[in-house]
Amino acid sequence: MIPQRLPGSSCIIEQSCDQYDASPENFSLAFPELDQQLQPLPPCHDSKESMQVYKQHCKIAEEYHEVKKEIALLEERKKELIARLEQVEKESMDAAQLAKEYAELTEENRTLKLAQTQCVEQLEKLRIQYQKRQGSS
């Protein structure tokens, strides 16, 4: 670890701070997804409290990043579920329409069978009448 002095500061930092790189050139790059005002501030090397705050801030920034990733994944899953729900609703409406059409066709079929039976009976009566006329002539 190479001690470095921050520009315009009396604080000295080390090149790396445990798992967090505390070098000045890496402060803005450490958490690029964070807004500038949320970026961890460089710690003062000679202040144990400053280093602890910096490490805690880095840990919170990592947790924030993980939560944002999880939110993005959950939003993607939400979109998938909404699309699936819309598909199921469409299929449900299609099924309801098919059930209605089936009921209508079943009723029409029943009516046509009744009409066919009546026509067959009427035809049979007409044959009998015709045969009686043929037989009586």
Side-chain angles (χ1 to χ4, degrees):
M1 290 191 254
I2 304 168
Q4 291 182 339
R5 186 175 301 279
L6 288 175
S9 171
S10 63
C11 294
I12 299 174
I13 63 167
E14 294 180 355
Q15 195 74 5
S16 65
C17 180
D18 288 345
Q19 66 191 39
Y20 304 110
D21 190 353
S23 61
E25 61 273 3
N26 288 330
F27 286 129
S28 62
L29 303 175
F31 300 96
E33 69 280 353
L34 287 179
D35 293 336
Q36 185 63 33
Q37 68 268 18
L38 298 178
Q39 290 287 329
L41 296 175
C44 291
H45 177 69
D46 55 352
S47 170
K48 195 173 198 176
E49 183 180 3
S50 177
M51 294 300 286
Q52 287 175 337
V53 169
Y54 173 73
K55 288 178 184 180
Q56 184 179 21
H57 196 165
C58 289
K59 184 178 178 186
I60 290 169
E62 282 183 355
E63 290 172 3
Y64 176 80
H65 176 69
E66 290 301 314
V67 168
K68 285 198 61 134
K69 280 187 353 187
E70 188 172 345
I71 287 171
L73 291 173
L74 290 172
E75 286 177 348
E76 187 60 34
R77 177 75 173 136
K78 176 184 168 185
K79 287 178 188 176
E80 292 170 4
L81 290 173
I82 287 172
R84 188 169 155 204
L85 177 63
E86 288 172 353
Q87 181 64 29
V88 167
E89 286 175 345
K90 182 182 180 296
E91 290 171 0
S92 178
M93 287 176 27
D94 291 346
Q97 179 63 31
L98 289 173
K100 181 182 175 189
E101 188 176 337
Y102 176 78
E104 291 170 355
L105 290 173
T106 301
E107 179 59 27
E108 184 180 353
N109 189 26
R110 187 189 68 74
T111 303
L112 290 172
K113 284 182 178 179
L114 181 61
Q116 179 197 21
T117 302
Q118 291 171 347
C119 287
V120 167
E121 289 172 0
Q122 189 178 7
L123 180 60
E124 192 58 37
K125 287 178 185 176
L126 289 174
R127 279 190 188 145
I128 292 171
Q129 286 177 0
Y130 181 73
Q131 287 174 352
K132 284 184 182 178
R133 285 188 197 165
Q134 290 294 332
S136 62
S137 332

